[in-house]
Amino acid sequence: MAVEVRLPMILQKVAGGAKTVKVEGKSIHEVFDNLEKNHHGFASRLFDNEGNLNHFIMVYVNNEDIRLQRGMQTELKDGDVITLLPAMAGGEDCCR
Amino acid sequence: MEMSLPFSRPWPAGKTAVAELKDRPESSFPLARRYADKMIAHAREEAPNECCGILAGPANEGRVEKLYHGINAEKSPVRYNIDPQQLLSIHEETEAKGWAILGIYHSHTHTEAFPSATDVRLAFWPDSTYLIISLKEQGEPVIRAFSIRDGRIEEKQVVIGE
């Protein structure tokens, strides 16, 4: 069962410049495992040192944020579209 | 009221934005005055919290066509994070139009318009220009623009046009 994964610019180079890749998997967890198998380097960008999904990577299945679903266990159907987007975040550090 | 925008200069009269863009060095960011005004107004509306937003336009022209007011999910005076669902909507809209996300703006309400360590650490959009509005001097807001790639900061000239 294949899903389409849409990659942001910062992850496209890991996939050899591809904007989208087809990946097998019945859950987000499986898809990310297979992404790493097919294109080594994804895992280090998607997960922190404890293996948790990086807080600043947004993952959507058919435009729904997986954090509002079952997270990494979110189930997938054939033809689902997964979009990965890095957060737009930052802010001043300073003391007043 | 004439707005003071240090580090910016006016476009020469009588030339189009697109033609001017080709004449300029790569390290500049053309910005119509109406968008600069909207960004400053947005920063003031959200103060003391940081504001954030997106500037998008045709990818091959580098001309801003639309300003999106971001929802700061952090609602914080020292952090911004564009609401994830809104970010997706804006991304989808710009993709459908064939546009690029040319600029990502946010405000620093009490410090200079220069990327903080947090801004650099979380700069995940290397092909977009990061614009910072400083309200440190209330009467004289400042907008500066930067490329942030692989932890390196390079300033771009904000070129204000009509």
Side-chain angles (χ1 to χ4, degrees):
Chain A
M1 190 189 74
V3 298
E4 177 183 308
V5 182
R6 296 181 179 173
L7 304 171
M9 190 70 72
I10 58 165
L11 292 177
Q12 287 172 15
K13 56 186 173 187
V14 185
K19 288 186 173 181
T20 64
V21 289
K22 292 276 188 189
V23 186
E24 297 285 326
K26 293 175 186 167
S27 68
I28 292 291
H29 192 281
E30 283 186 25
V31 164
F32 284 180
D33 276 353
N34 287 329
L35 260 183
E36 175 63 18
K37 283 177 192 162
N38 298 345
H39 307 281
H40 178 65
F42 267 101
S44 63
R45 289 165 174 81
L46 293 176
F47 300 104
D48 62 22
N49 292 337
E50 276 108 47
N52 299 313
L53 183 63
N54 189 319
H55 182 64
F56 295 103
I57 293 285
M58 308 299 153
V59 183
Y60 309 87
V61 176
N62 302 329
N63 293 350
E64 294 294 327
D65 190 338
I66 64 161
R67 291 184 171 92
L68 304 178
Q69 303 178 62
R70 296 186 60 213
M72 292 293 292
Q73 305 309 319
T74 300
E75 293 171 3
L76 301 172
K77 304 184 303 296
D78 193 39
D80 277 350
V81 176
I82 299 170
T83 305
L84 305 182
L85 282 182
M88 282 186 186
E92 60 188 312
D93 298 316
C94 175
C95 2
R96 305 275 171 80
Chain B
M1 186 182 76
E2 189 68 20
M3 198 78 70
S4 172
L5 292 174
F7 302 101
S8 64
R9 62 183 170 82
W11 265 328
K15 295 186 179 182
T16 67
V18 175
E20 269 301 294
L21 188 62
K22 292 173 185 166
D23 296 337
R24 269 189 237 113
E26 282 186 6
S27 58
S28 65
F29 189 88
L31 184 65
R33 181 169 296 279
R34 64 184 181 282
Y35 295 124
D37 289 347
K38 283 182 179 179
M39 288 162 59
I40 290 168
H42 191 196
R44 285 177 165 153
E45 281 165 20
E46 294 293 329
N49 290 341
E50 293 194 5
C51 77
C52 52
I54 291 171
L55 301 166
N60 56 352
E61 296 177 26
R63 173 172 43 83
V64 174
E65 279 285 316
K66 187 167 179 179
L67 179 152
Y68 297 88
H69 273 204
I71 298 167
N72 183 0
E74 300 284 342
K75 298 192 186 312
S76 161
V78 291
R79 288 283 182 275
Y80 79 94
N81 184 7
I82 295 184
D83 176 80
Q85 207 61 46
Q86 186 194 27
L87 175 60
L88 177 69
S89 300
I90 294 171
H91 186 263
E92 296 283 305
E93 182 177 319
T94 57
E95 290 271 303
K97 289 175 182 284
W99 288 358
I101 291 177
L102 302 172
I104 300 164
Y105 73 85
H106 74 283
S107 58
H108 284 181
T109 55
H110 292 82
T111 58
E112 281 184 56
F114 192 83
S116 68
T118 303
D119 290 331
V120 175
R121 185 169 56 85
L122 301 181
F124 299 124
W125 296 77
D127 288 344
S128 300
T129 296
Y130 284 84
L131 295 104
I132 302 176
I133 309 139
S134 172
L135 298 181
K136 186 180 176 189
E137 304 297 332
Q138 282 290 320
E140 291 187 39
V142 175
I143 299 176
R144 292 170 74 183
F146 304 89
S147 163
I148 308 175
R149 290 170 181 263
D150 301 323
R152 291 195 308 276
I153 302 168
E154 182 187 327
E155 182 153 15
K156 294 184 172 187
Q157 182 90 23
V158 177
V159 182
I160 299 293
E162 295 307 320

